[in-house]
Amino acid sequence: MLFAVQMTVELPPDLDPQVREELVTTEKEYSQKLQRAGKWPHLWRVVGEYSNLSVFDVSDNAELHDLLWNLPLFKYMHITVTPLAPHPSALAADRQA
Amino acid sequence: MLFAVQMTVELPPDLDPQVREELVTTEKEYSQKLQRAGKWPHLWRVVGEYSNLSVFDVSDNAELHDLLWNLPLFKYMHITVTPLAPHPSALAADRQA
Amino acid sequence: MLFAVQMTVELPPDLDPQVREELVTTEKEYSQKLQRAGKWPHLWRVVGEYSNLSVFDVSDNAELHDLLWNLPLFKYMHITVTPLAPHPSALAADRQA
Amino acid sequence: MLFAVQMTVELPPDLDPQVREELVTTEKEYSQKLQRAGKWPHLWRVVGEYSNLSVFDVSDNAELHDLLWNLPLFKYMHITVTPLAPHPSALAADRQA
Amino acid sequence: MLFAVQMTVELPPDLDPQVREELVTTEKEYSQKLQRAGKWPHLWRVVGEYSNLSVFDVSDNAELHDLLWNLPLFKYMHITVTPLAPHPSALAADRQA
Amino acid sequence: MLFAVQMTVELPPDLDPQVREELVTTEKEYSQKLQRAGKWPHLWRVVGEYSNLSVFDVSDNAELHDLLWNLPLFKYMHITVTPLAPHPSALAADRQA
Amino acid sequence: MLFAVQMTVELPPDLDPQVREELVTTEKEYSQKLQRAGKWPHLWRVVGEYSNLSVFDVSDNAELHDLLWNLPLFKYMHITVTPLAPHPSALAADRQA
Amino acid sequence: MLFAVQMTVELPPDLDPQVREELVTTEKEYSQKLQRAGKWPHLWRVVGEYSNLSVFDVSDNAELHDLLWNLPLFKYMHITVTPLAPHPSALAADRQA
Amino acid sequence: MLFAVQMTVELPPDLDPQVREELVTTEKEYSQKLQRAGKWPHLWRVVGEYSNLSVFDVSDNAELHDLLWNLPLFKYMHITVTPLAPHPSALAADRQA
Amino acid sequence: MLFAVQMTVELPPDLDPQVREELVTTEKEYSQKLQRAGKWPHLWRVVGEYSNLSVFDVSDNAELHDLLWNLPLFKYMHITVTPLAPHPSALAADRQA
């Protein structure tokens, strides 16, 4: 079951650079673990913003919330979630998603 | 080069049913031709709305505009376009997108 | 799996009264069938508006979209969908929802 | 008498972790006391946000305001209140709410 | 129990003048009946707009919805409802409202 | 001459509790003095928010601005002002306001 | 007593040209009568829009509402009203406004 | 050439009172110098807000930007600029502005 | 003197195709005449929308308003105007604009 | 390939003046290097705001993101990106852009 998720990050400009780097590194590891597990099939940068557009593939709403709630940058993020369904004009291969 | 595109359709409620059906059929054919050509790699329905979230893969802005401008439903649509770039946390395979 | 859904209806003021009544009657039957099936566990009127706040209980996003897309009043509605998850402070009984 | 209430929490990212934990614990106890008393019949997490969608069952506006004003997290919350009424299409059992 | 209600009217500019006059006359009679019954204690014009700011005094949400739903101009109105409670700084006399 | 005024208060969560209490006490005295003078005939709490809906009765715009500018909580408030006029459907007694 | 008023006109594109011209002519005469009477001391065009920014000088809210309500184009306008007061930094001559 | 300019001031509530007073005094002197020079012909207070509505009379866009950029309170302001033109219904005297 | 202008066109979907074509042709001629005269130095299509982003070079606000007001598609457009000034970081050649 | 980019800067009012000056100087050098390279063909100041409207000429989305992400003031900016395409009414010379 797919959801589009947009995450916009707002780190305080005066955040300690080392804290910032650790946060970003931990976030990257967390994200890649989910990508490898097939939970986070798409991750794109929104041009010109500290923001990404992602697609998650989860078994239900509760799983999606847990994955997002535990993002290392969660408390610095504004997140919007859009549930997706197969589109009747999509080619067969895509409709299985 | 990827772009996220959201298309929201507003057909007049009193549109002639046959005209409506022809429009929708033509739109589907147009869309599937672009999907087969690899120009429109993702097409999802936004749950509960007459709207889709799509990803286009084009060579430049002008090509994207031409593809959208010629959508059979274009004059009934509200469209938003978001340029995408590779995300530094995306796994290597995905970063080629 | 639960979703909050707000449906706001905008019928043209000059809609033929008989058409209007048939639409509203069909909508009511459709809604009550889903209520009896346990798919639409809550349905409240928003005070002062031709709008409702509902909760749907479905197996996935695609089922929710199908139920909403087939609402007899769909083409006269503006719909927003909010995915819900169990709340950690909810009492045990409620968390099963 | 029912009201939909959405509460969105914004805790400062640099809040002392112990203060944060005490606040969240107190909030949970306060919420569960009201749930047991039948005043707060529904409490759901909004997926991907530090936010909940709730339904309150109170005798009047003043009681609702007192319950909300005394939430331990009140000063960190943005709250919206929507008065609800029975819906004419709701099945009899539900209309008593 | 008090509610602030703002009603904004949008009559089609080309509405038949006689229909318009009948609507406005019926609305006035309906409003004055409720004013005399003490249900609609305040009714003010918003300067420069076809809009009013009103205060309703009702026994519950359902009564308020019924009064608003049956406004002769309801289908031409956009309505917002704000639940009110006694203010702790209001003088004793006013707090009974 | 009447004006609807909505005042929303945003006190910093970490404001010194004693300073906070003094501010709120001074605000209450200031408000009640104006209520007794007939300048502030209505003061209601907006349910669920640190906000009030008020009606002021002043001789002109300048007097209203002076009363609002000197609110002890002014620098912590967001204020909106709506000029009111007698409504043609209001009963005679009310139209004198 | 001064008010800033912005009036934005939305005439239906298919309005009969003669009706349109009569409306605009009547509006101009109405406006100039008020300008000569000193009620409408400023009238500027907002560049690029069918909209004006005006300043009215009236004795009270009710007078302002009557002047606006009777604009020949009123039913085609969206109007916003902003009450003005003397500014403490304005030179003496201007503060009399 | 005229421009409407709205300036809204947001001084931090905990700004040192002496710094605040100096800023406000310098702003007043700056404003009055421009008023005397005929560059800032109108300056009104927006009722209930720390905001003004002004009209500037300048020779071009660049001059307007320089005047605004150098306002002593500039870094605490949110500013909107609206270009104005003569209105065809304005009386001859006013149209020269 | 430069202004950024965004024009968004909303032609009724059921506009007579011949009328539509004449409008678009006349608009193009009007635009190209102004481009040749140096009044409209930039004209770009906004990707995916029936909208353009333009830069105008005019002697004053009144000239800009006249050029826009006389656009053949004016009554079908929503227009926003942004005054521009030289940027202190722009290279010398560009600053003459 | 062209993109319109609006950058709005929000420097904290209490930023150390020397840090501020260094940031602004570095930003200017960075901008001028890109202007000389033909990547940033237009840079205008938005009148009355700490904001610019720019046009970038890049080979693809990824290049644009890299140029913006590395702006010395990036973490103090709010940026919006609008993809542009040739306009069918633009004169031949301009359409090559």
Side-chain angles (χ1 to χ4, degrees):
Chain A
M1 205 170 61
L2 302 183
F3 291 84
V5 178
Q6 181 161 3
M7 310 174 198
T8 302
V9 183
E10 291 193 43
L11 291 174
D14 59 354
L15 191 65
D16 179 288
Q18 192 174 341
V19 172
R20 184 186 176 107
E21 190 172 324
E22 285 170 11
L23 272 168
V24 171
T25 302
T26 317
E27 181 81 15
K28 185 172 185 171
E29 292 166 357
Y30 180 88
S31 166
Q32 295 196 335
K33 196 176 65 176
L34 293 178
Q35 291 177 63
R36 284 192 206 94
K39 298 294 183 188
W40 192 336
H42 298 292
L43 167 59
W44 297 293
R45 173 65 80 207
V46 176
V47 171
E49 301 183 32
Y50 194 169
S51 179
N52 71 69
L53 176 66
S54 293
V55 175
F56 279 77
D57 187 352
V58 293
S59 55
D60 59 19
N61 288 347
E63 184 186 8
L64 178 61
H65 183 69
D66 287 345
L67 297 183
L68 297 176
W69 184 266
N70 290 304
L71 286 161
L73 287 171
F74 182 78
K75 69 179 178 178
Y76 299 105
M77 282 176 165
H78 176 74
I79 293 180
T80 59
V81 172
T82 306
L84 302 175
H87 192 285
S89 297
L91 294 179
D94 293 326
R95 297 190 64 185
Q96 298 175 353
Chain B
M1 203 170 60
L2 302 183
F3 293 83
V5 178
Q6 180 160 4
M7 309 174 198
T8 301
V9 183
E10 291 192 44
L11 292 173
D14 59 355
L15 190 65
D16 179 287
Q18 192 174 340
V19 172
R20 184 187 175 106
E21 190 171 324
E22 287 171 11
L23 271 169
V24 171
T25 302
T26 317
E27 180 81 15
K28 185 173 185 170
E29 293 165 357
Y30 181 88
S31 166
Q32 295 196 335
K33 195 176 65 177
L34 292 179
Q35 290 177 63
R36 283 191 207 96
K39 297 295 183 187
W40 193 335
H42 299 291
L43 167 58
W44 298 293
R45 175 65 80 207
V46 176
V47 171
E49 302 183 32
Y50 195 168
S51 178
N52 71 68
L53 176 66
S54 293
V55 175
F56 280 76
D57 187 354
V58 293
S59 55
D60 59 19
N61 289 346
E63 183 186 11
L64 178 60
H65 183 68
D66 286 346
L67 297 183
L68 297 176
W69 184 265
N70 290 306
L71 287 161
L73 288 170
F74 182 79
K75 70 180 178 178
Y76 300 104
M77 283 177 165
H78 177 73
I79 294 181
T80 59
V81 171
T82 307
L84 302 175
H87 192 286
S89 297
L91 294 179
D94 292 327
R95 298 191 62 183
Q96 298 175 351
Chain C
M1 202 170 62
L2 302 182
F3 292 84
V5 178
Q6 181 160 3
M7 307 174 199
T8 301
V9 183
E10 291 193 43
L11 292 173
D14 59 354
L15 190 66
D16 179 288
Q18 192 174 339
V19 172
R20 184 186 175 107
E21 191 171 323
E22 286 172 11
L23 271 169
V24 172
T25 302
T26 317
E27 179 82 15
K28 185 173 185 170
E29 292 167 356
Y30 180 87
S31 166
Q32 295 196 336
K33 196 176 65 176
L34 293 179
Q35 291 177 62
R36 283 192 205 93
K39 298 293 184 189
W40 193 335
H42 299 292
L43 168 57
W44 298 292
R45 174 66 80 207
V46 175
V47 170
E49 301 183 33
Y50 194 169
S51 178
N52 71 67
L53 176 67
S54 293
V55 175
F56 280 76
D57 188 353
V58 293
S59 55
D60 59 17
N61 288 348
E63 183 186 10
L64 178 60
H65 183 69
D66 286 346
L67 297 183
L68 297 176
W69 185 266
N70 290 305
L71 287 162
L73 288 170
F74 182 80
K75 70 179 177 179
Y76 300 104
M77 283 177 165
H78 177 74
I79 294 181
T80 59
V81 172
T82 307
L84 302 175
H87 192 286
S89 297
L91 294 179
D94 291 328
R95 299 191 60 184
Q96 297 175 352
Chain D
M1 204 169 63
L2 301 183
F3 291 84
V5 179
Q6 181 161 3
M7 308 174 199
T8 301
V9 183
E10 291 193 42
L11 291 174
D14 59 354
L15 190 65
D16 178 288
Q18 193 174 339
V19 172
R20 184 186 175 107
E21 189 172 325
E22 285 171 11
L23 271 169
V24 172
T25 303
T26 317
E27 180 81 15
K28 185 173 186 171
E29 292 167 357
Y30 181 87
S31 166
Q32 296 197 335
K33 196 175 66 176
L34 292 178
Q35 291 177 63
R36 285 192 204 92
K39 298 294 182 188
W40 193 335
H42 298 293
L43 168 58
W44 298 293
R45 174 64 80 205
V46 175
V47 170
E49 301 183 31
Y50 194 170
S51 178
N52 71 70
L53 176 66
S54 293
V55 175
F56 280 78
D57 187 353
V58 293
S59 55
D60 59 17
N61 289 347
E63 184 187 8
L64 178 59
H65 183 69
D66 286 346
L67 297 182
L68 296 176
W69 184 266
N70 290 304
L71 287 162
L73 287 171
F74 182 79
K75 70 179 177 179
Y76 300 104
M77 283 176 164
H78 177 73
I79 293 179
T80 59
V81 172
T82 306
L84 302 175
H87 192 286
S89 297
L91 294 180
D94 292 326
R95 298 189 63 183
Q96 296 174 353
Chain E
M1 202 168 64
L2 302 182
F3 292 84
V5 178
Q6 181 160 3
M7 308 173 200
T8 301
V9 183
E10 290 192 44
L11 291 173
D14 59 355
L15 191 65
D16 179 287
Q18 193 174 338
V19 172
R20 184 187 175 106
E21 189 171 325
E22 286 172 12
L23 271 169
V24 172
T25 303
T26 317
E27 179 82 15
K28 185 173 186 171
E29 292 166 359
Y30 180 86
S31 166
Q32 295 197 336
K33 195 176 68 176
L34 292 179
Q35 291 178 64
R36 283 191 205 94
K39 298 294 183 188
W40 193 335
H42 299 292
L43 169 57
W44 298 293
R45 175 65 80 209
V46 175
V47 170
E49 302 182 32
Y50 194 169
S51 178
N52 71 67
L53 176 67
S54 293
V55 175
F56 279 77
D57 188 353
V58 293
S59 55
D60 59 19
N61 288 348
E63 184 185 10
L64 178 60
H65 183 69
D66 286 346
L67 298 182
L68 297 176
W69 185 265
N70 290 305
L71 286 162
L73 287 171
F74 182 79
K75 69 179 177 179
Y76 300 105
M77 282 176 166
H78 176 74
I79 294 181
T80 59
V81 172
T82 306
L84 302 175
H87 193 285
S89 297
L91 293 179
D94 291 327
R95 299 191 60 184
Q96 297 176 352
Chain F
M1 204 170 63
L2 302 183
F3 292 84
V5 179
Q6 181 160 3
M7 308 174 199
T8 301
V9 183
E10 291 193 44
L11 291 173
D14 60 353
L15 190 66
D16 179 288
Q18 192 174 338
V19 171
R20 185 186 173 107
E21 190 172 323
E22 286 171 11
L23 271 169
V24 172
T25 302
T26 317
E27 180 82 14
K28 185 173 186 170
E29 292 167 357
Y30 180 87
S31 166
Q32 296 197 335
K33 196 175 66 177
L34 293 179
Q35 290 178 63
R36 284 192 205 94
K39 297 294 182 187
W40 192 336
H42 299 292
L43 168 58
W44 298 293
R45 174 65 80 207
V46 175
V47 170
E49 301 182 32
Y50 193 170
S51 177
N52 71 68
L53 176 66
S54 293
V55 175
F56 279 77
D57 188 353
V58 293
S59 55
D60 59 18
N61 288 348
E63 184 186 8
L64 178 60
H65 183 69
D66 287 346
L67 297 183
L68 297 176
W69 184 265
N70 290 304
L71 286 162
L73 287 171
F74 182 79
K75 69 179 177 178
Y76 300 105
M77 284 176 164
H78 176 73
I79 293 179
T80 59
V81 172
T82 307
L84 302 175
H87 192 286
S89 297
L91 294 179
D94 292 326
R95 297 190 62 184
Q96 297 175 351
Chain G
M1 202 170 63
L2 301 183
F3 292 83
V5 178
Q6 181 161 4
M7 309 174 199
T8 302
V9 183
E10 290 192 43
L11 291 173
D14 59 355
L15 190 65
D16 179 286
Q18 192 174 340
V19 172
R20 184 186 175 107
E21 189 171 327
E22 286 171 10
L23 271 169
V24 171
T25 303
T26 318
E27 180 81 14
K28 185 173 185 170
E29 293 167 356
Y30 180 87
S31 166
Q32 295 196 336
K33 195 176 68 178
L34 293 179
Q35 291 177 62
R36 284 192 205 93
K39 298 294 184 188
W40 192 336
H42 299 292
L43 168 59
W44 298 292
R45 175 65 80 209
V46 175
V47 170
E49 302 183 31
Y50 194 168
S51 178
N52 71 68
L53 176 66
S54 293
V55 175
F56 280 77
D57 187 353
V58 293
S59 55
D60 59 18
N61 288 347
E63 183 186 9
L64 178 60
H65 183 68
D66 286 347
L67 298 182
L68 297 176
W69 185 265
N70 290 304
L71 287 161
L73 287 170
F74 182 80
K75 70 178 176 178
Y76 300 105
M77 282 176 166
H78 177 73
I79 294 180
T80 59
V81 172
T82 306
L84 302 175
H87 193 286
S89 297
L91 294 179
D94 291 327
R95 298 190 61 183
Q96 297 176 351
Chain H
M1 204 171 61
L2 301 183
F3 292 83
V5 178
Q6 181 160 3
M7 307 174 200
T8 301
V9 183
E10 290 193 45
L11 291 173
D14 59 354
L15 190 66
D16 179 288
Q18 193 173 339
V19 172
R20 185 186 175 106
E21 190 171 325
E22 286 171 12
L23 272 169
V24 172
T25 302
T26 317
E27 179 83 13
K28 185 172 185 170
E29 292 167 357
Y30 180 87
S31 166
Q32 295 197 335
K33 196 176 65 178
L34 292 179
Q35 291 178 63
R36 283 191 205 95
K39 299 293 183 188
W40 193 335
H42 299 293
L43 167 58
W44 298 293
R45 173 66 80 207
V46 175
V47 170
E49 301 183 32
Y50 193 169
S51 178
N52 71 68
L53 177 66
S54 293
V55 175
F56 280 76
D57 188 354
V58 292
S59 55
D60 59 19
N61 289 347
E63 184 186 9
L64 179 60
H65 183 69
D66 286 345
L67 297 183
L68 297 176
W69 184 266
N70 290 304
L71 286 162
L73 287 171
F74 182 79
K75 70 179 177 179
Y76 300 105
M77 284 176 165
H78 177 74
I79 293 180
T80 59
V81 172
T82 306
L84 302 175
H87 192 286
S89 297
L91 294 179
D94 291 327
R95 297 190 63 182
Q96 298 176 350
Chain I
M1 202 169 63
L2 302 183
F3 292 84
V5 178
Q6 181 160 4
M7 310 174 197
T8 301
V9 183
E10 292 192 43
L11 291 174
D14 59 354
L15 191 65
D16 179 288
Q18 192 173 341
V19 172
R20 184 187 176 107
E21 190 170 325
E22 287 171 10
L23 271 169
V24 171
T25 303
T26 318
E27 180 81 15
K28 184 172 186 171
E29 292 166 356
Y30 181 87
S31 166
Q32 295 196 337
K33 195 176 65 177
L34 292 178
Q35 291 177 62
R36 282 191 207 94
K39 297 294 183 187
W40 193 335
H42 299 293
L43 167 59
W44 298 292
R45 173 66 78 207
V46 175
V47 171
E49 302 183 32
Y50 194 168
S51 178
N52 71 68
L53 175 66
S54 293
V55 175
F56 280 76
D57 187 352
V58 293
S59 55
D60 59 18
N61 289 347
E63 184 186 9
L64 178 60
H65 183 70
D66 286 346
L67 297 182
L68 298 176
W69 184 265
N70 290 305
L71 286 161
L73 287 171
F74 182 80
K75 70 179 178 177
Y76 300 105
M77 282 177 165
H78 177 73
I79 294 180
T80 59
V81 172
T82 307
L84 301 175
H87 192 286
S89 298
L91 294 180
D94 292 327
R95 298 191 62 183
Q96 296 177 352
Chain J
M1 204 171 60
L2 301 183
F3 293 84
V5 178
Q6 180 160 5
M7 309 174 198
T8 302
V9 184
E10 290 193 44
L11 292 173
D14 59 354
L15 189 65
D16 179 287
Q18 193 174 339
V19 172
R20 184 187 175 105
E21 191 171 324
E22 285 171 11
L23 272 168
V24 172
T25 303
T26 317
E27 179 82 15
K28 186 172 184 170
E29 293 167 356
Y30 181 88
S31 166
Q32 295 197 335
K33 195 175 64 176
L34 293 178
Q35 291 177 64
R36 283 191 205 95
K39 298 293 182 187
W40 193 335
H42 298 292
L43 167 59
W44 298 292
R45 174 65 80 207
V46 175
V47 170
E49 301 183 33
Y50 193 170
S51 179
N52 71 69
L53 176 66
S54 293
V55 175
F56 280 76
D57 188 353
V58 293
S59 54
D60 59 19
N61 289 347
E63 184 186 9
L64 178 60
H65 184 69
D66 286 345
L67 297 183
L68 297 176
W69 183 266
N70 289 305
L71 286 161
L73 287 171
F74 182 79
K75 70 179 178 178
Y76 300 105
M77 283 177 165
H78 176 73
I79 293 181
T80 59
V81 171
T82 307
L84 302 175
H87 192 286
S89 298
L91 294 179
D94 292 326
R95 297 190 63 183
Q96 298 175 350

